[in-house]
Amino acid sequence: MPSPSQVALQNNYHSLFASDHHQEDQQAAPICSNMAFSNFTSATTTFPSSSSSLTFQSAHNRNITSGPTSLSLPNTDLSPSSPLFVAAETLISCSSCATAAPFNESNINLTGPTHMLSLHPERTFSASANNFWAWSELNQRPLSNDKLIRSDNIGTIVRDSDHSHQQPPILNSNNKLLGVSAMKVKRIKGRRKVREPRFCFKTLSDVDVLDDGYKWRKYGQKVVKNTQYPRSYYRCTQDNCRVKKRVERLDEDPRMVITTYEGRHAHSPSRDTDQSRAATNPHLNDYFW
DNA sequence: CGTGTTTGACCCGCGC
DNA sequence: GCGCGGGTCAAACACG
């Protein structure tokens, strides 16, 4: 019996990143004959036609629930020129060919610096080893991480510290979708300290805290200025693991939950969760972080 | 009693 | 230097 949060995840999960800026380098990998996926660097997603729509399904939907519950994104959200980010465990299906498949290394051919979003080190789609954070090499527009966070209150994806010399990509102009930003730096007693990498995603969910396989302890809640919904702060309960996450609802669409992870887990997801997940669907871990 | 949440106070970076 | 505001702390509380 899945927990309420798991049910919500099964029913509603989709993870999506996109931004408005156009880039010239195009790299699309077909999943079915009339559907393609592009990574952030290519910044161009190909659709069968201007009137078609894409449907995102989670692996959980497909394998656990009796019928697929999915979210059809309106065409206005995904213009052919918008880059598209999909979490590694997300299934993508095409409205016109009725097929769905999880993104993975075998059915998608990705090249370039970074593509899909996953917190799982073994599921790195990046060309740079062990960097499983989404980032872009192409965008040179200077914008600090702080400004990005404060301008939209959504959160950011932050590059791996190994690449902190590069300039951050940008959110789109509508604050509707997400982008990638630079490392934020914090100092301890005058010494420069590198901030942990960040990764955030937007999820359609009834519950605020999604079951991501890790155990979290809430350590704070804050009402952020000019926002309707409070932001909650969580820390991983594992000893010696300093991963944190923030959870907040989107003002413009309260159905959406913005989850921002900071840091990398130094351990596997909690065993209990893994077992319950594996019992329900033996292939689920193939798609999960 | 152990574990997790709540919440007001505090810290600190940033902009002016 | 000062004020603002996001992030964190920690005591009190809730719950199994």
Side-chain angles (χ1 to χ4, degrees):
Chain A
M1 189 68 180
S3 69
S5 63
Q6 286 173 323
V7 169
L9 200 61
Q10 292 157 15
N11 290 338
N12 297 322
Y13 191 93
H14 78 283
S15 183
L16 169 67
F17 292 80
S19 69
D20 271 342
H21 55 284
H22 296 219
Q23 293 168 353
E24 305 200 349
D25 176 25
Q26 180 166 344
Q27 179 80 37
I31 294 175
C32 64
S33 59
N34 57 354
M35 182 174 69
F37 171 80
S38 75
N39 61 47
F40 184 82
T41 307
S42 73
T44 302
T45 301
T46 306
F47 296 97
S49 71
S50 59
S51 61
S52 66
S53 65
L54 283 173
T55 299
F56 290 87
Q57 297 177 318
S58 74
H60 320 77
N61 290 340
R62 185 177 190 179
N63 294 296
I64 297 175
T65 61
S66 54
T69 52
S70 61
L71 175 70
S72 293
L73 298 171
N75 295 321
T76 51
D77 281 349
L78 293 170
S79 71
S81 59
S82 296
L84 176 64
F85 291 89
V86 184
E89 68 276 19
T90 302
L91 290 177
I92 186 167
S93 66
C94 179
S95 61
S96 55
C97 66
T99 61
F103 288 125
N104 57 44
E105 295 90 335
S106 63
N107 68 6
I108 193 164
N109 175 28
L110 297 176
T111 59
T114 297
H115 314 280
M116 300 184 66
L117 303 173
S118 172
L119 292 180
H120 201 296
E122 284 77 36
R123 304 215 164 273
T124 298
F125 292 87
S126 167
S128 59
N130 300 321
N131 172 21
F132 46 92
W133 304 96
W135 54 280
S136 168
E137 283 187 304
L138 297 186
N139 194 306
Q140 297 298 313
R141 187 170 150 195
L143 182 66
S144 78
N145 186 42
D146 281 350
K147 285 176 182 171
L148 190 58
I149 291 173
R150 288 172 186 174
S151 64
D152 58 23
N153 286 320
I154 285 177
T156 58
I157 310 163
V158 178
R159 284 194 297 273
D160 189 289
S161 58
D162 295 345
H163 308 281
S164 56
H165 60 282
Q166 289 156 349
Q167 293 298 323
I170 309 301
L171 283 179
N172 74 355
S173 56
N174 301 325
N175 280 347
K176 192 162 60 175
L177 297 172
L178 305 176
V180 181
S181 87
M183 294 301 295
K184 188 177 178 180
V185 168
K186 58 183 172 187
R187 294 168 184 271
I188 291 183
K189 291 190 175 177
R191 209 180 302 175
R192 199 164 189 268
K193 188 183 178 186
V194 178
R195 184 164 191 154
E196 297 292 331
R198 283 186 180 180
F199 158 81
C200 86
F201 61 88
K202 190 165 73 171
T203 306
L204 183 68
S205 174
D206 295 334
V207 296
D208 289 346
V209 184
L210 304 172
D211 180 5
D212 54 11
Y214 293 92
K215 230 178 146 186
W216 301 94
R217 178 189 174 92
K218 189 174 184 177
Y219 68 90
Q221 179 170 308
K222 192 88 179 175
V223 175
V224 180
K225 198 183 177 191
N226 296 325
T227 62
Q228 193 177 344
Y229 302 96
R231 174 182 295 170
S232 298
Y233 300 89
Y234 297 86
R235 232 192 298 268
C236 182
T237 58
Q238 188 82 15
D239 285 347
N240 302 323
C241 183
R242 306 183 63 173
V243 177
K244 287 178 273 190
K245 75 172 177 180
R246 300 192 316 220
V247 177
E248 61 193 298
R249 289 205 171 266
L250 199 56
D251 259 0
E252 298 81 36
D253 186 356
R255 298 171 304 166
M256 307 300 289
V257 175
I258 305 295
T259 305
T260 305
Y261 291 90
E262 182 174 329
R264 300 180 186 184
H265 292 284
H267 57 96
S268 301
S270 73
R271 187 173 293 272
D272 288 350
T273 313
D274 272 358
Q275 282 177 341
S276 64
R277 195 183 283 141
T280 316
N281 170 23
H283 301 298
L284 200 53
N285 284 336
D286 294 344
Y287 312 133
F288 230 79
W289 299 331

